[in-house]
Amino acid sequence: MIYFDKVTKFYNGGLAALDDVTITIEPGEFVSIVGHSGAGKSTLLKMIFAEELPTEGTVYFESNNIAHFRKKDLNMLRRKIGTVFQDFRLLPTKTVYENIAFAMEAAGQRNEDIAADVPHVLDLVDLSEKMDSFPRELSGGEQQRVALARAIVNQPDVVVADEPTGNLDPISTYEIVQILKKINDLGTTVILTTHNKGVIDSLGRRVITMDEGRVIRDDKSGQYVL
Ligand code: ADP
């Protein structure tokens, strides 16, 4: 479970990027976070994988206060959370296969497991035939599918996706959402930010709406109201 208890975040001066946010995300949920640019969506996601810490309040991951984590705990946390971003963030000099294998090597996985699991996730994102391609040889949608494969290859408990379809055409967007659904069906918690009303409508799952750092709506049935 992820639990934000009265979380407020100030960057240097200015207004609160998050303002007294209290939310709970249960294991296996598929939660979308919507809101205008600057509403605090990315800040909220960054707190889940401890890229930012609260100014006030507490973020708990599996009942542990993330602010108390030492390096070892942070490494474990980041292994339990797969991340995907709007700009893909693939390694340009590595092939598709190598990009994913690298994430497993960094997590200290054994070579036999890497050889078994990389083809498996490539199949899941339907990119087996592109495994020897470099990122520059792929479409945006394909690159994002590689990024998703990389995010899940270490079998995280949670996938955090910050505007993963922000740069994609409607067909690629549909494919990414289908994969996120599949990942969720397999038991992984998915937390997504998006501006795409069509994506929210097609999911029909919980939607948290943010405005000026506050949660202004938390709708279990997937209403997108902005
Ligand atoms: P969203 O993802 O909804 O667009 P963000 O979480 O990125 O919103 O930003 C929320 C607020 O915090 C904005 O006012 C933004 O300018 C500010 N902000 C975000 N990151 C930083 C940062 N690293 N330093 C200073 N201000 C930031």
Side-chain angles (χ1 to χ4, degrees):
M1 188 177 83
I2 296 164
Y3 173 38
F4 280 61
D5 183 22
K6 300 194 181 91
V7 173
T8 293
K9 173 70 180 180
F10 288 101
Y11 290 105
N12 298 324
L15 295 169
L18 289 185
D19 185 0
D20 198 24
V21 169
T22 296
I23 53 168
T24 302
I25 298 174
E26 301 285 352
E29 273 199 273
F30 194 133
V31 186
S32 302
I33 301 171
V34 302
H36 297 296
S37 190
K41 305 180 296 295
S42 295
T43 300
L44 190 147
L45 295 190
K46 283 178 185 165
M47 292 207 168
I48 296 172
F49 49 88
E51 191 175 317
E52 296 288 349
L53 292 175
T55 312
E56 293 163 25
T58 313
V59 179
Y60 296 92
F61 187 88
E62 293 169 352
S63 307
N64 300 304
N65 180 348
I66 288 178
H68 293 165
F69 280 12
R70 294 169 176 275
K71 195 164 188 294
K72 175 169 65 73
D73 306 311
L74 285 174
N75 287 340
M76 191 195 59
L77 175 77
R78 289 176 184 146
R79 217 162 291 162
K80 290 185 176 185
I81 302 175
T83 52
V84 184
F85 300 94
Q86 180 168 354
D87 55 359
F88 319 135
R89 304 193 187 178
L90 300 175
L91 298 167
T93 60
K94 292 189 185 292
T95 64
V96 166
Y97 183 97
E98 289 164 350
N99 263 278
I100 300 166
F102 187 71
M104 292 189 74
E105 286 160 19
Q109 308 267 22
R110 298 180 315 160
N111 286 340
E112 306 93 277
D113 292 332
I114 295 174
D117 292 355
V118 176
H120 177 68
V121 290
L122 279 172
D123 184 46
L124 188 90
V125 301
D126 198 18
L127 277 179
S128 303
E129 73 282 15
K130 300 274 184 175
M131 71 176 189
D132 294 323
S133 299
F134 288 90
R136 65 173 178 277
E137 297 168 330
L138 303 179
S139 72
E142 288 169 338
Q143 289 185 60
Q144 195 61 300
R145 275 147 61 200
V146 177
L148 261 177
R150 180 178 61 179
I152 60 173
V153 74
N154 290 317
Q155 299 175 359
D157 296 334
V158 181
V159 167
V160 170
D162 195 357
E163 285 280 352
T165 63
N167 285 332
L168 304 182
D169 60 79
I171 291 173
S172 301
T173 294
Y174 175 81
E175 289 167 351
I176 293 295
V177 172
Q178 292 308 309
I179 295 166
L180 287 171
K181 277 183 170 170
K182 192 153 52 168
I183 292 168
N184 180 248
D185 286 343
L186 295 171
T188 307
T189 308
V190 176
I191 308 170
L192 166 76
T193 69
T194 181
H195 281 104
N196 190 324
K197 185 172 187 323
V199 167
I200 298 293
D201 290 345
S202 75
L203 286 167
R205 306 292 284 272
R206 180 179 177 192
V207 181
I208 294 172
T209 308
M210 301 193 62
D211 186 41
E212 296 184 348
R214 289 177 170 266
V215 172
I216 58 164
R217 195 178 162 100
D218 187 345
D219 192 310
K220 300 277 178 215
S221 66
Q223 290 294 313
Y224 188 118
V225 183
L226 262 191

